């Protein structure tokens, strides 16, 4: 099992992406889970924004955030 935590620093909030990959000994994917949180600067609390079980969803979100900033979350709500 491998866990990856990515932190994207913004002007007012940080975006934290936690990914869990679980593979069997032959390399096949058993489980993938990504959780995306928003954490205001200077705060310990973080708010869950989205969860995904699709492999590569976190990488796609990272690219959208780097391209569009927090506007990427406006598309999620719709």
């Amino acid at each position: 099992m491998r866990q990856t935590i990515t932190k994207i620093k913004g002007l007012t909030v940080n975006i934290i992406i936690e990914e869990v990959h679980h593979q069997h000994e032959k390399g096949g994917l058993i489980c993938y889970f990504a959780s995306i949180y928003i954490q205001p600067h200077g705060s310990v609390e973080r708010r869950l924004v989205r969860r995904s079980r699709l492999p590569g969803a976190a990488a796609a979100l990272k690219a959208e955030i780097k391209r569009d900033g927090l506007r990427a979350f406006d598309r999620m709500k719709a």
Side-chain angles (χ1 to χ4, degrees), residues 59-72:
L61 180 64
K62 288 179 212 175
E64 280 187 54
I65 291 170
K66 290 198 184 275
R67 186 184 67 225
D68 300 332
L70 290 177
R71 293 287 177 203

Side-chain angles (χ1 to χ4, degrees), residues 2 6 10 15 18 27 36 46 48 50 54 62 75:
R2 182 180 70 189
T6 304
I15 298 168
E18 293 181 353
I36 296 108
R46 55 188 187 172
L48 179 66
R50 185 177 187 188
L54 298 173
K62 288 179 212 175
R75 286 189 291 280

Side-chain angles (χ1 to χ4, degrees), residues 5-24:
I5 299 174
T6 304
K7 191 173 196 179
I8 301 172
K9 296 185 179 187
L11 294 175
T12 59
V13 296
N14 294 327
I15 298 168
I16 301 167
I17 302 171
E18 293 181 353
E19 299 175 87
V20 175
H21 303 264
H22 190 81
Q23 297 177 330
H24 58 72

Side-chain angles (χ1 to χ4, degrees), residues 18-35:
E18 293 181 353
E19 299 175 87
V20 175
H21 303 264
H22 190 81
Q23 297 177 330
H24 58 72
E25 54 275 349
K26 293 183 180 178
L29 185 65
I30 294 174
C31 175
Y32 172 85
F33 196 77
S35 300

